[in-house]
Amino acid sequence: MLPRITESIRPLLSATALAFATVAAAQSGVPATDRAFAEKAAMGGVAEVQSGRMAEQKAMNGQVKQFGARMAQDHAKAGDELKQIASGKGLTLPEAPSPEDKREMDKLDKLAAAEFDRAYMNRMVADHKKDIAEFEKEASSGHDADIKAFAAKTLPTLREHLKLAMSAEAAVRK
């Protein structure tokens, strides 16, 4: 008797398992491109916070110190917002910079005074140009509405950061 019962409920069990898998996928079903953007943005944000704090400590130029403080503050705030969005979608974001960013920060950490200021500001200009392009792409063609909105909301701050970075870079070149 038991084998017939098992055989008769097998389709029901399969359908139930499929339903649970579908629900789980829908809850964390962020498209791969949006997930990759969020992960990269999270790692980049952590790097900006850490290198900004480094600039607050090591920079010789007051404008560079101020810029570092602004990076630490703004990117921490954006990172917290992104984590909240990701958490609601069942995503866990990285809490450390990428290996590439870590290597760059290690190089910066070995520099002192004016040499640090120039290298940090050169990196900040290049990073923010790249970040703006990535955030513009996500804001215009992202699929997940919340991550897309985050990118669009963050763009004005990144553009302001680029202007500030270019100004500070010019100041330390003199």
Side-chain angles (χ1 to χ4, degrees), residues 123-145:
R123 179 168 165 77
M124 290 297 97
V125 168
D127 280 356
H128 281 84
K129 286 179 179 178
K130 184 176 66 170
D131 292 345
I132 288 168
E134 290 170 357
F135 275 68
E136 284 174 339
K137 180 180 178 187
E138 179 65 22
S140 67
S141 61
H143 300 297
D144 183 274

Side-chain angles (χ1 to χ4, degrees), residues 45-136:
V46 171
E48 296 285 2
V49 170
Q50 290 178 1
S51 62
R53 288 181 182 146
M54 185 187 308
E56 286 182 275
Q57 299 297 314
K58 294 187 69 133
M60 188 173 95
N61 181 288
Q63 195 173 349
V64 175
K65 281 185 181 287
Q66 276 186 312
F67 181 82
R70 174 88 184 262
M71 292 304 95
Q73 179 183 345
D74 289 355
H75 285 279
K77 181 180 173 189
D80 289 343
E81 184 178 338
L82 184 57
K83 279 182 205 169
Q84 188 173 23
I85 292 167
S87 175
K89 296 179 177 300
L91 296 177
T92 302
L93 297 177
E95 295 184 16
S98 70
E100 178 186 339
D101 285 336
K102 179 72 173 116
R103 280 190 300 276
E104 289 298 318
M105 286 190 299
D106 289 345
K107 288 179 190 176
L108 282 174
D109 197 34
K110 293 175 183 166
L111 302 176
E115 191 178 10
F116 171 87
D117 291 357
R118 283 189 297 274
Y120 174 68
M121 293 317 308
N122 287 338
R123 179 168 165 77
M124 290 297 97
V125 168
D127 280 356
H128 281 84
K129 286 179 179 178
K130 184 176 66 170
D131 292 345
I132 288 168
E134 290 170 357
F135 275 68
E136 284 174 339

Side-chain angles (χ1 to χ4, degrees), residues 1-18:
M1 204 70 183
L2 190 58
R4 275 193 283 159
I5 292 172
T6 304
E7 289 301 315
S8 67
I9 64 169
R10 183 171 286 154
L12 178 60
L13 291 174
S14 294
T16 303
L18 180 61

